[in-house]
Amino acid sequence: MAERIRKIPLMFYVAEDEMAIINEKMKLLGTSNKSAYLRKSAIDGYVINIDTADIKENTAQLQRIGNNVNQIVKRMNQTGSLYAADVAEVKELLKEIWHTQRYILLSQRWTRP
């Protein structure tokens, strides 16, 4: 076994209802690593879970759009021509990017401390 980074054990007791609360909070955060959760809670006093599903989907869409743009540019370089259909497709792809960005920004809940 590799040399441990954390060498000091910390042990404490909780009641059943407290354990249920801890388990529920861990479930809400989507974590099953109790040690990491308790360590983070003890050090920071709070744990923040950021839902990045929209950002991940946006990244995937941007990759697909980038691939499409690359294909259009490759076709333009091969033929030496710029076609109206290609320009329209790029404009449509850019609209998709902006639509997705607006959706992500509007879906975020901004709060002040």
Side-chain angles (χ1 to χ4, degrees), residues 31-47:
T31 184
S32 61
N33 187 333
K34 193 170 291 167
S35 179
Y37 172 78
L38 293 173
R39 187 171 39 253
K40 183 76 170 157
S41 295
I43 292 171
D44 293 343
Y46 57 90
V47 178

Side-chain angles (χ1 to χ4, degrees), residues 13 31 38 44-46 52 63 65 98:
Y13 294 91
T31 184
L38 293 173
D44 293 343
Y46 57 90
T52 59
Q63 288 174 335
I65 291 167
W98 286 113

Side-chain angles (χ1 to χ4, degrees), residues 94-111:
L94 287 172
K95 275 201 307 195
E96 283 182 44
I97 291 171
W98 286 113
H99 174 75
T100 304
Q101 288 296 101
R102 282 189 202 107
Y103 172 78
I104 289 172
L105 290 174
L106 292 174
S107 68
Q108 298 298 314
R109 294 185 180 158
W110 299 97
T111 58

Side-chain angles (χ1 to χ4, degrees), residues 12-29 31 34 37-38:
F12 61 95
Y13 294 91
V14 295
E16 286 184 29
D17 60 330
E18 293 170 328
M19 191 70 228
I21 292 169
I22 291 170
N23 287 332
E24 183 61 29
K25 286 185 175 186
M26 287 176 55
K27 186 190 289 185
L28 288 172
L29 285 170
T31 184
K34 193 170 291 167
Y37 172 78
L38 293 173

